[in-house]
Amino acid sequence: MNIKITGKDLKATEAIKDYIERKMERLEKYYETEDLDIQVMIRLERELQIAEISVSYKGDSHRAVAESKDLYASIDEDIDILERQIRKAKTKKERMNKDESIRVKEMEMLEETDLDGDIVKTTYYDIKPMSAEDAKMILEERKTQNFLAYIDVDTNKVHVIYKLKDGKNFGISEPEC
């Protein structure tokens, strides 16, 4: 862990340096300490003592700024803020990696089964009675959907309305029987 402490209008005493180093140990559980770079800037503005801490680790960076009448309270608040930021980022990264690994496993399973032309996915949906015009309006609202199955109110048969490739017109598939 590389800690650089600088003071502006406020001297970084040994007691402050020791306190900061002791508090930074809370971050060790999130990162490998040899690659962790920490920069601490302490300064005084009017009666407020401000602690600004930046943490960098292999491209990830987090920053916290807190002000208080007590420098130690500012440092504590910064550590709490940094811990929340790091935990949130790590959780997000783990969730993304988990989701990605699930997708990769699904793709590997599909590749392993070596399916050609087989049905590999089934979706279920409701078919409601409606007119062709109502089905067309619903399909127009759904930008990503290319077809809609419905029961025609006049014939009581299942029809499918679909968007044509021109993107403006529609087609309807009806059963012959």
Side-chain angles (χ1 to χ4, degrees):
M1 182 167 22
N2 305 320
I3 300 175
K4 181 182 176 187
I5 302 171
T6 55
K8 182 179 177 186
D9 300 330
L10 187 64
K11 187 176 184 221
T13 63
E14 283 301 314
I16 292 172
K17 289 179 182 178
D18 289 340
Y19 186 77
I20 291 171
E21 288 175 8
R22 209 171 45 245
K23 289 295 182 173
M24 289 300 156
E25 290 174 1
R26 284 174 50 186
L27 303 180
E28 287 180 353
K29 60 185 169 188
Y30 300 106
Y31 297 118
E32 296 172 15
T33 56
E34 62 269 359
D35 294 333
L36 187 61
D37 291 321
I38 300 170
Q39 294 188 354
V40 181
M41 165 72 89
I42 54 175
R43 64 181 188 270
L44 182 66
E45 288 184 10
R46 299 185 192 128
E47 307 113 32
L48 297 176
Q49 296 184 10
I50 301 169
E52 180 179 330
I53 301 175
S54 298
V55 176
S56 300
Y57 179 78
K58 293 184 180 178
D60 288 342
S61 61
H62 304 282
R63 183 173 171 266
V65 180
E67 55 187 38
S68 175
K69 292 188 184 241
D70 180 28
L71 182 61
Y72 294 101
S74 297
I75 293 168
D76 288 342
E77 188 177 339
D78 278 349
I79 296 298
D80 292 341
I81 291 169
L82 286 170
E83 228 178 340
R84 281 192 305 269
Q85 288 177 358
I86 292 168
R87 236 187 347 261
K88 182 178 178 182
K90 257 187 138 45
T91 304
K92 183 177 180 182
K93 193 176 285 188
E94 286 171 359
R95 191 176 309 125
M96 287 174 53
N97 287 340
K98 180 183 172 193
D99 291 346
E100 186 63 32
S101 66
I102 289 172
R103 280 191 215 110
V104 168
K105 286 179 184 175
E106 286 176 352
M107 293 301 291
E108 287 174 355
M109 283 176 36
L110 284 175
E111 289 172 1
E112 285 175 8
T113 56
D114 215 15
L115 301 174
D116 289 328
D118 289 344
I119 297 172
V120 294
K121 184 178 177 182
T122 304
T123 57
Y124 299 95
Y125 55 90
D126 291 332
I127 297 179
K128 298 179 182 176
M130 62 180 77
S131 69
E133 285 300 314
D134 292 337
K136 178 183 158 225
M137 287 182 5
I138 291 171
L139 196 55
E140 284 176 333
E141 291 173 3
R142 298 178 183 172
K143 301 293 182 196
T144 58
Q145 192 172 351
N146 292 324
F147 67 93
L148 176 69
Y150 67 97
I151 298 174
D152 190 274
V153 290
D154 298 329
T155 63
N156 263 353
K157 292 185 179 180
V158 176
H159 292 183
V160 177
I161 187 168
Y162 56 93
K163 294 179 184 175
L164 296 176
K165 289 187 179 181
D166 64 8
K168 299 175 189 173
N169 298 308
F170 297 87
I172 294 182
S173 293
E174 300 181 7
E176 287 185 15
C177 53

